[in-house]
Amino acid sequence: DNTVVALAGKIDFDKAVKQVETLCGHWQTTKPARDSAEPRAALREVTVEDDKVNRAYYLMLAPAPAFGDDRRYAASMLTEVLGGADNSRLHWALIDKGLAEEAQAAYDPHDGCGDYFVFASCDPERLTEVREVIDGEIERLVTSFTQSDLDKLRNKIATGVTLAGERPGGRMQRIGRRWTYLREHMALEQELERINAVTLKDLRDVWQAYPFSPRTVGVLTPKR
């Protein structure tokens, strides 16, 4: 009763259900409960010095919308613009200018909560400058966003979701995760509609509600 089976492909559904029942029907029930209460975010910073590293590493976590919150589509777009794999604000402000070797941002939705993630690695002497650039890009993230930016981003994300849905593994992950968290199924077409419905106002609203704060920060540097 704490297992979700997700299947994708040309399936004989009734036969598959019977097979799962044969394999798992004798398992003892445990009546598990899920605590989806949002944890309290901490405004905290931890610095670790280690003589085995020669670069500085910066990691920041901050609260973001939960998996069941429709604002997650806008939150995903914000982090894609901020620190996606290519053509992101952090890439051009840090990597392209030689201030950092790595810089990225991501959004990870969970059951009852979510988090923003920002990471960078650089020369220890430039860590303060890198952090200032990250803070500035977060602060300007929404005000510098245009409708053209949004149109391109929606197309990019919709294409990625569609391609993931073409692979059995991607389809099973999507089905299984949504059922585990929300006990519901959403067709791919419905999800694409929600992605394409995101507006500039949605981006501003989610940034106001979840402004990458309070931040829990971890810093790893060489031992002095």
Side-chain angles (χ1 to χ4, degrees):
D1 54 348
N2 197 27
T3 299
V4 172
V5 178
L7 306 169
K10 189 176 180 180
I11 299 165
D12 183 330
F13 183 77
D14 292 335
K15 187 175 181 179
V17 170
K18 289 180 181 178
Q19 185 176 8
V20 172
E21 186 178 17
T22 299
L23 294 171
C24 309
H26 62 282
W27 290 2
Q28 295 296 314
T29 58
T30 60
K31 292 183 170 54
R34 296 178 65 84
D35 181 4
S36 58
E38 186 173 4
R40 179 182 297 178
L43 179 62
R44 183 186 179 200
E45 181 163 336
V46 177
T47 299
V48 176
E49 296 183 354
D50 193 317
D51 57 11
K52 295 189 291 294
V53 301
N54 56 21
R55 312 303 291 164
Y57 299 92
Y58 170 85
L59 173 63
M60 181 263 282
L61 292 174
F67 186 89
D69 190 331
D70 278 347
R71 291 177 295 182
R72 70 188 182 92
Y73 299 103
S76 178
M77 291 183 183
L78 283 183
T79 52
E80 180 67 25
V81 170
L82 177 63
D86 53 19
N87 199 30
S88 68
R89 304 287 170 84
L90 292 182
H91 173 88
W92 294 113
L94 292 174
I95 299 176
D96 185 65
K97 292 182 179 179
L99 296 177
E101 296 91 26
E102 296 179 90
Q104 59 182 286
Y107 160 61
D108 195 8
H110 308 289
D111 187 15
C113 67
D115 59 70
Y116 291 129
F117 158 97
V118 180
F119 170 79
S121 64
C122 62
D123 186 308
E125 300 300 321
R126 286 188 151 175
L127 178 59
T128 299
E129 183 180 4
V130 166
R131 294 186 61 165
E132 290 174 350
V133 170
I134 291 173
D135 291 345
E137 291 300 327
I138 291 174
E139 188 67 27
R140 292 186 296 271
L141 185 57
V142 173
T143 56
S144 61
F145 217 82
T146 67
Q147 185 63 46
S148 177
D149 293 331
L150 178 57
D151 292 339
K152 293 175 183 177
L153 187 58
R154 285 191 301 210
N155 291 335
K156 178 181 179 180
I157 292 179
T159 299
V161 171
T162 302
L163 290 176
E166 292 296 320
R167 297 187 295 270
R171 190 176 292 270
M172 287 188 290
Q173 285 286 337
R174 182 176 167 277
I175 292 172
R177 194 176 192 191
R178 191 167 196 94
W179 187 261
T180 300
Y181 286 175
L182 305 178
R183 285 296 188 266
E184 70 176 31
H185 170 66
M186 177 186 288
L188 178 61
E189 292 75 15
Q190 291 175 283
E191 188 142 32
L192 292 174
E193 288 177 1
R194 295 198 179 184
I195 291 171
N196 289 321
V198 174
T199 65
L200 288 174
K201 182 179 184 301
D202 294 330
L203 296 177
R204 297 186 188 104
D205 288 348
V206 77
W207 192 89
Q208 288 290 334
Y210 295 94
F212 289 78
S213 177
R215 302 176 184 181
T216 301
V217 174
V219 176
L220 174 63
T221 63
K223 183 171 286 187
R224 298 175 182 177

